[in-house]
Amino acid sequence: MKMDRKRVVITGMGILSSLADNVSDFKQALLNKKCGVTDSERFSTWFENARAAEVLHDIDYSELPEDLIESLDNAALWAYKVSKDALTQAGLINNKERLNETGLIVGVSSAGTEAFLPLFEQRIQDFSLKKAMYSGGFSSCCSSVSTLLGLKGGMELVATACTASPNAIGMAFDYIQNGKSKTMLAVGTEPIYLPTYAGFYVLNVMHPDSCTPFSGNPGMSIGEGAGAVMLEEYEHAVARGATIYGEILSYATSCDAFHETGPDPRASGAVQVMTKAMQNAGITPEQIDYVNMHGTGTEANDRIETLAMKKVFANNENLLVSSTKSYFGHNIGAAGIVELIACLVTLPEKKVLPTLAFTVPRANCDLDYVPNEFREKDVNIFMKNNYAFGGNNCSMIVSTKPTSIPVTSYEEKRVAISGIGAVSAIGHTLNEIVDFIWENNQSVELGSVKFYDDTLEETRELLDVLTTTHQFEELLGSDFALGANALPENDENFKTFQVSNLEPRKHLRRYDPRKATRGGTFALIALAEALNTAKRKIKKDGDEFGFVMGMSRGPQETTYKYLQSLKPDPRKVRTSEFPGSLMNSIPTFCGISEGIKGYTTTLATGENAALGALTYGYEIIRQELQPQVLVGGADEYFPSMSLYMDAVTQKIHMTSDARDYQIYGKEPKGFIPGEGSCMLLLESVEAIQERGAEILAEIAGYGKSSSNSYFDASQIDEKAQSMSLAIARALDDAGISAKDIDLVCGTSNGSQSNSQIEIEAIYQSFQQENPQVPVVNYNAFFGFVASSAGLMNLAVLIDCIKKQAVPAIPYTQEFCDERINFVRQPLKMPVKHVLLVGATEGGNYYAFVIKG
């Protein structure tokens, strides 16, 4: 069905940068051509001539309790501050009904870092368990902001490094396009911490003074900050009399599939993303009045970005371009949104931002970069470009004059799964996995964990601090007093679901073990199997494939090695591991290996992040933005600090027998960690049929929600109601009711609170119309594969639809709730509609209706 795209406008903004902590002062600082790059007292402790554009304002958080402020890191506090400002400017801060429907997308590069700074800044005595628990997760800033502001429309965290915040805006834009909400809040937040500063400093890409993009001596200036924009459907904004600051016409992402850090010298990915963004907006290059470039100031970036501009805008002689990083440095994950706001507060004044400190142009840099002085010009349409490590590219098209450009349309598509692949402890292919499940009289042999001496030394030192300061007892109660047997390495029974005897070359055409992490290997094998089952090969058509990856803890071993190399001297950090420690490094590895060049995004929303990837892959296919999208998640098991935190807080079940992992059991003892990957290939139903492939299942609809009880673990009922809301939204999206569902699959990790939330939500949703609906959960077969748990269960559900039979929940002998019809024995039954539910650890809830 032909659909006109909705107009999406900006009705509120919030800003925090080295220049100012509010929109009005930020605008004035820009007009005054103020540069925020100065000597850094913080980083001069380790580095000579340390320069940065830092946020040094005294920010007022007086409305928050003092103990809560101490629990949050700057990533969360800054995101809260700019989000509150954006909601206030939009006139929605007290509109509870609207906030209940508003979703949150946050872009950030190095989240979850601040709580652990004492470990690698060699001041372990300052470690706060409270901050680690509430701000130590990569997506914790999402959970904090949504709870504090009362947002219940679901949340995601985008982790594509320097394109994270424009990518977040693009995702929010698409959720409005799909009618999921009339309002979405997009945020970028990025404090600069030692690991990031050290990585760039030792790479020798820092400018000794302040960056001068496209001229003079090359080099970047690192900066920090945050920004938020309230996106709103145009008709909704007009109906309530909102002030409109601009219209997002379109956006696009792409991947170079070229190198882990360096841009493609042919600029093909940059050309592709700009071309796609204009195609989505229905405009030509000649209609663009101005481009706000990425413009980091480094030699390679400036030269190649200029080349891309020449290829795309060869016939636009009047085009103006500039880089605003000369004002406030490179804000990494927050760069794009801060730069967008800079455009939105100056271009309506008919003032085009200059590139400051411009001197002699560098070789091959010969565009009109608006050197040093504002240029008077009436700009209607402008483009905002950002690029990132891994060849992630993002381009937005924005109008300062809403409704001046006709809307585009698309043919709404039904979205189906045509390929699937998986790697786990019970099998290296999907067939091996489902064969094991149907022969479930056997139990998988668990693997022994290898502990690293330096890990143990650091951990023991930390636990000594926590014991001495009684932080565990104060925060969690006397039951959590530490003893030697709380540590995994001291429990001879502690084993995990590990992938063993894997031979990658048996599964892959191309494989470089020198660049492959354990998680990357799992992901690439699952991806290759998904393509094979779909009977689809990537040849020279990689731009037709999108790739959305959901991550939980990311490349743990590489990150650990990089952080360890900061000690004792950060000036000698191992830069070879720097790009590999980023959350988007695994999809980068897969993209380069397979030549995937289309829409590429990495979400790092934590447990079940791959379900977030599935929602976004669905959006891309549904709107005809890409013909095919690969979605998935990958997890590698590594005994990092997070293992010890999980162990001493009694989340992990230390056992040597997989049969002890009893999900929905009467006396749960925690989860058993697992590793592996699951990947799906999504296409439209029509496309699959046209090429004669098999439709494995159709995604009939989905729903999302988020709870507002991140800081109160006891609020089980509120969290269950939030999951029930996601279920209701999914059923409504699919156009069916609870009575039409044949089977419900949960993805609880098996802990008491996880299971309680899931079971109560299922009961609330089905008690009236379908109280005896069968309920399953297969995580105990694989171990808890954090980011991929939902997709691993979905793989089994697709097999259930194919066989019209349902395996039993493994191992659990006594179930915890008699109201629920848990599948205790294998069933032969008709399976047409399946409901899959899942949650992140931060209070984000997903529900999908899968149709056979």
Side-chain angles (χ1 to χ4, degrees):
M1 183 171 66
K2 205 75 169 176
M3 302 278 290
D4 284 340
R5 285 198 159 84
K6 296 178 177 66
R7 292 194 185 276
V8 179
V9 295
I10 296 169
T11 57
M13 296 178 285
I15 191 69
L16 178 62
S17 86
S18 58
L19 301 184
D21 63 356
N22 63 82
V23 170
S24 178
D25 290 349
F26 181 64
K27 175 181 177 179
Q28 194 57 52
L30 293 170
L31 294 175
N32 292 340
K33 298 187 297 183
K34 180 181 177 182
C35 177
V37 181
T38 61
D39 291 334
S40 171
E41 182 178 342
R42 184 184 0 161
F43 294 113
S44 64
T45 303
W46 299 284
F47 306 103
E48 295 179 4
N49 193 32
R51 303 271 292 172
E54 296 172 282
V55 172
L56 302 175
H57 313 290
D58 186 12
I59 305 169
D60 181 13
Y61 299 116
S62 57
E63 71 276 16
L64 299 178
E66 189 62 37
D67 63 332
L68 179 60
I69 296 172
E70 292 174 358
S71 303
L72 300 181
D73 61 4
N74 277 335
L77 287 169
W78 293 0
Y80 163 73
K81 181 254 188 297
V82 296
S83 297
K84 183 184 175 188
D85 289 350
L87 287 169
T88 300
Q89 189 181 57
L92 293 171
I93 190 67
N94 296 316
N95 189 333
K96 186 175 181 181
E97 183 180 355
R98 176 46 34 205
L99 296 180
N100 283 343
E101 299 293 326
T102 300
L104 173 70
I105 315 288
V106 177
V108 66
S109 179
S110 56
T113 303
E114 186 175 314
F116 298 99
L117 283 176
L119 303 185
F120 38 81
E121 288 186 354
Q122 300 161 67
R123 49 182 183 87
I124 200 166
Q125 70 280 359
D126 297 330
F127 185 87
S128 165
L129 178 61
K130 193 172 188 178
K131 181 171 280 192
M133 290 189 66
Y134 289 115
S135 298
F138 208 90
S139 64
S140 56
C141 58
C142 291
S143 306
S144 300
V145 172
S146 63
T147 292
L148 292 172
L149 294 175
L151 308 177
K152 292 189 175 182
M155 57 192 177
E156 297 293 347
L157 187 132
V158 183
T160 51
C162 306
T163 60
S165 58
N167 214 322
I169 295 170
M171 287 186 66
F173 172 89
D174 275 337
Y175 284 126
I176 292 177
Q177 292 294 336
N178 193 30
K180 294 299 177 185
S181 179
K182 303 289 186 185
T183 49
M184 292 290 295
L185 185 63
V187 181
T189 180
E190 192 74 45
I192 296 301
Y193 299 122
L194 178 61
T196 302
Y197 194 95
F200 283 116
Y201 188 96
V202 178
L203 280 172
N204 199 31
V205 295
M206 296 283 212
H207 197 284
D209 186 17
S210 299
C211 69
T212 60
F214 310 107
S215 74
N217 294 323
M220 66 176 283
S221 295
I222 201 162
E224 60 184 4
V229 290
M230 192 70 212
L231 300 189
E232 190 165 351
E233 187 181 349
Y234 172 73
E235 290 79 4
H236 184 269
V238 170
R240 68 181 189 87
T243 301
I244 295 174
Y245 299 96
E247 179 181 357
I248 306 289
L249 300 180
S250 73
Y251 92 106
T253 70
S254 74
C255 182
D256 286 357
F258 175 75
H259 191 267
E260 293 82 0
T261 56
D264 182 349
R266 300 161 298 181
S268 56
V271 169
Q272 177 186 323
V273 77
M274 287 188 277
T275 303
K276 184 68 173 176
M278 288 186 289
Q279 177 187 323
N280 291 345
I283 63 171
T284 64
E286 290 72 32
Q287 291 176 270
I288 302 286
D289 298 311
Y290 165 65
V291 179
N292 186 273
M293 298 175 72
H294 191 54
T296 60
T298 61
E299 190 280 328
N301 179 87
D302 289 358
R303 173 173 46 83
I304 294 168
E305 190 174 8
T306 297
L307 174 62
M309 300 299 295
K310 290 178 180 179
K311 289 185 174 183
V312 173
F313 295 100
N315 298 321
N316 190 341
E317 297 178 357
N318 298 317
L319 182 70
L320 299 181
V321 302
S322 67
S323 169
T324 35
K325 289 182 175 64
S326 55
Y327 278 93
F328 37 69
H330 189 350
N331 291 182
I332 315 298
I337 200 165
V338 170
E339 291 157 10
L340 172 66
I341 294 171
C343 295
L344 290 171
V345 298
T346 54
L347 290 177
E349 304 287 328
K350 299 183 180 181
K351 293 182 181 294
V352 176
L353 288 154
T355 304
L356 299 183
F358 195 92
T359 56
V360 179
R362 282 188 238 123
N364 300 307
C365 293
D366 51 358
L367 299 176
D368 185 348
Y369 302 105
V370 192
N372 300 317
E373 301 296 335
F374 278 92
R375 194 78 57 84
E376 294 287 329
K377 186 171 184 176
D378 187 6
V379 170
N380 179 5
I381 304 174
F382 70 93
M383 176 184 280
K384 173 76 216 83
N385 293 337
N386 289 99
Y387 308 106
F389 273 2
N392 280 112
N393 312 304
C394 196
S395 181
M396 284 187 290
I397 310 290
V398 186
S399 173
T400 63
K401 301 176 181 180
T403 74
S404 62
I405 302 298
V407 295
T408 58
S409 60
Y410 63 95
E411 193 73 37
E412 185 179 16
K413 300 296 184 184
R414 291 163 57 198
V415 183
I417 300 165
S418 61
I420 188 164
V423 176
S424 79
I426 61 172
H428 303 158
T429 66
L430 183 60
N431 283 339
E432 290 177 6
I433 291 169
V434 295
D435 285 349
F436 181 96
I437 287 172
W438 280 107
E439 298 164 5
N440 63 40
N441 56 337
Q442 58 179 314
S443 175
V444 65
E445 183 177 335
L446 299 181
S448 298
V449 179
K450 173 186 176 184
F451 292 97
Y452 292 75
D453 290 340
D454 49 0
T455 308
L456 301 182
E457 181 181 349
E458 182 180 70
T459 303
R460 290 188 180 111
E461 185 181 356
L462 172 60
L463 294 181
D464 283 344
V465 169
L466 296 176
T467 302
T468 303
T469 57
H470 305 288
Q471 289 190 49
F472 270 104
E473 294 97 316
E474 289 176 8
L475 193 58
L476 302 170
S478 58
D479 289 345
F480 289 86
L482 296 177
N485 30 343
L487 300 180
E489 72 271 14
N490 292 337
D491 191 323
E492 61 185 16
N493 290 324
F494 179 54
K495 295 186 177 181
T496 66
F497 285 83
Q498 292 183 6
V499 177
S500 59
N501 303 315
L502 181 65
E503 298 182 39
R505 295 192 187 280
K506 284 188 175 181
H507 303 266
L508 300 170
R509 294 176 299 156
R510 294 182 294 273
Y511 179 69
D512 186 348
R514 298 167 301 172
K515 295 184 177 180
T517 62
R518 192 167 174 82
T521 300
F522 301 153
L524 190 58
I525 291 173
L527 188 155
E529 185 184 11
L531 290 171
N532 286 338
T533 57
K535 299 178 181 177
R536 186 72 169 86
K537 292 183 179 179
I538 303 175
K539 297 179 180 177
K540 293 184 179 180
D541 57 352
D543 58 331
E544 293 189 5
F545 286 83
F547 188 21
V548 187
M549 191 80 164
M551 303 298 296
S552 178
R553 287 174 173 165
Q556 292 190 75
E557 185 168 1
T558 306
T559 302
Y560 170 76
K561 288 178 180 177
Y562 176 67
L563 294 178
Q564 288 299 104
S565 74
L566 287 165
K567 301 183 295 187
D569 186 354
R571 293 170 299 178
K572 297 178 181 178
V573 70
R574 293 171 57 177
T575 55
S576 58
E577 265 103 25
F578 179 41
S581 66
L582 298 174
M583 276 290 185
N584 65 333
S585 62
I586 289 179
T588 292
F589 168 70
C590 293
I592 293 172
S593 299
E594 290 291 337
I596 302 169
K597 297 183 177 182
Y599 273 61
T600 302
T601 301
T602 303
L603 306 181
T605 319
E607 293 176 5
N608 269 321
L611 291 183
L614 182 57
T615 69
Y616 193 52
Y618 173 95
E619 298 295 342
I620 294 171
I621 295 295
R622 178 186 169 276
Q623 294 184 52
E624 278 193 305
L625 297 174
Q626 293 273 187
Q628 291 100 12
V629 178
L630 287 149
V631 301
D635 297 89
E636 60 182 37
Y637 189 73
F638 181 75
S640 61
M641 188 62 66
S642 56
L643 166 69
Y644 295 93
M645 291 300 170
D646 287 343
V648 295
T649 55
Q650 302 173 18
K651 291 181 181 178
I652 288 180
H653 185 191
M654 295 191 193
T655 180
S656 59
D657 192 336
R659 289 169 295 189
D660 290 337
Y661 192 8
Q662 299 193 11
I663 294 177
Y664 304 139
K666 200 168 186 178
E667 297 182 0
K669 298 179 181 178
F671 67 87
I672 304 177
E675 63 178 1
S677 176
C678 188
M679 293 283 177
L680 309 178
L681 181 62
L682 305 183
E683 300 181 65
S684 70
V685 168
E686 298 91 334
I688 299 170
Q689 291 172 338
E690 282 175 12
R691 62 186 188 82
E694 181 184 1
I695 296 173
L696 301 180
E698 182 178 347
I699 302 169
Y702 75 88
K704 293 173 66 175
S705 69
S706 46
S707 69
N708 293 157
S709 53
Y710 179 59
F711 304 110
D712 188 351
S714 67
Q715 293 295 314
I716 300 297
D717 288 344
E718 197 270 345
K719 294 175 182 179
Q721 288 169 12
S722 294
M723 180 174 271
S724 297
L725 180 58
I727 294 172
R729 287 171 174 168
L731 294 172
D732 182 62
D733 196 38
I736 63 174
S737 67
K739 69 177 185 300
D740 299 310
I741 296 295
D742 301 307
L743 178 68
V744 176
C745 181
T747 56
S748 164
N749 62 20
S751 68
Q752 185 172 14
S753 60
N754 259 218
S755 295
Q756 274 186 291
I757 293 165
E758 207 164 76
I759 289 167
E760 189 58 41
I762 293 169
Y763 177 74
Q764 289 177 14
S765 301
F766 289 90
Q767 62 173 320
Q768 292 185 343
E769 292 188 44
N770 197 355
Q772 287 302 302
V773 64
V775 175
V776 294
N777 180 323
Y778 299 115
N779 281 333
F781 278 122
F782 333 107
F784 188 63
V785 187
S787 70
S788 310
L791 293 196
M792 298 291 276
N793 276 275
L794 178 53
V796 183
L797 295 177
I798 290 173
D799 188 64
C800 294
I801 292 170
K802 179 181 178 180
K803 293 186 169 83
Q804 295 290 284
V806 180
I809 298 172
Y811 312 141
T812 304
Q813 300 301 311
E814 290 187 83
F815 286 89
C816 61
D817 196 320
E818 294 180 358
R819 300 174 301 170
I820 303 297
N821 181 20
F822 296 111
V823 178
R824 293 167 164 83
Q825 299 293 331
L827 301 175
K828 284 295 249 183
M829 57 175 281
V831 183
K832 182 179 180 182
H833 288 108
V834 179
L835 181 76
L836 173 68
V837 298
T840 69
E841 62 268 41
N844 199 36
Y845 302 98
Y846 304 98
F848 295 84
V849 175
I850 308 299
K851 180 181 177 183

